[in-house]
Amino acid sequence: MAYPACVVHGSQGSVTLPLTRPQAEDLQRSLENLARTWQGSPPYPLWEVQMRGEVTVELFCNPNIWPSRHGAQVLLTAKTPLLKVSFELPLTQLLEDVGVFLAAG
């Protein structure tokens, strides 16, 4: 089954993720909650999201090692039975990329 493509940009390239609109909306809400984490007092809980489909997407962030949401990095892993790709990207970039995907469709 083909899904709309959400392009996520990292510093060394990009990856295209097949996400449904509901998955992208859930991801956006979760990322916005993560971005608000730094408004509270440490220690902060670890943040993890997993989405299953044609491609399993796992996202992880330890907000305790980043001084603010603007410097925070998220580890993204996209895997299929034949391929696994992992890279870090800024939280702000991931929020922007998911927002662009949702605005487009």
Side-chain angles (χ1 to χ4, degrees):
M1 172 182 238
Y3 293 108
C6 178
V7 180
V8 177
H9 299 87
S11 63
Q12 299 296 315
S14 63
V15 65
T16 302
L17 304 174
L19 296 180
T20 64
R21 184 164 185 87
Q23 284 176 317
E25 289 168 345
D26 288 346
L27 178 56
Q28 184 179 46
R29 279 190 294 276
S30 186
L31 287 166
E32 288 168 351
N33 287 337
L34 173 60
R36 285 191 287 277
T37 297
W38 287 269
Q39 295 173 354
S41 299
Y44 308 120
L46 300 178
W47 178 85
E48 294 180 86
V49 169
Q50 188 175 78
M51 297 176 290
R52 295 189 184 276
E54 275 183 51
V55 176
T56 298
V57 178
E58 298 171 345
L59 299 150
F60 173 81
C61 181
N62 180 352
N64 296 294
I65 62 173
W66 307 108
S68 72
R69 68 174 277 182
H70 300 291
Q73 297 282 311
V74 174
L75 176 64
L76 182 149
T77 302
K79 57 187 175 181
T80 70
L82 300 175
L83 179 70
K84 180 178 176 180
V85 176
S86 295
F87 63 93
E88 281 190 331
L89 70 154
L91 168 60
T92 53
Q93 181 66 55
L94 185 53
L95 273 163
E96 182 180 329
D97 291 340
V98 173
V100 166
F101 171 75
L102 288 171

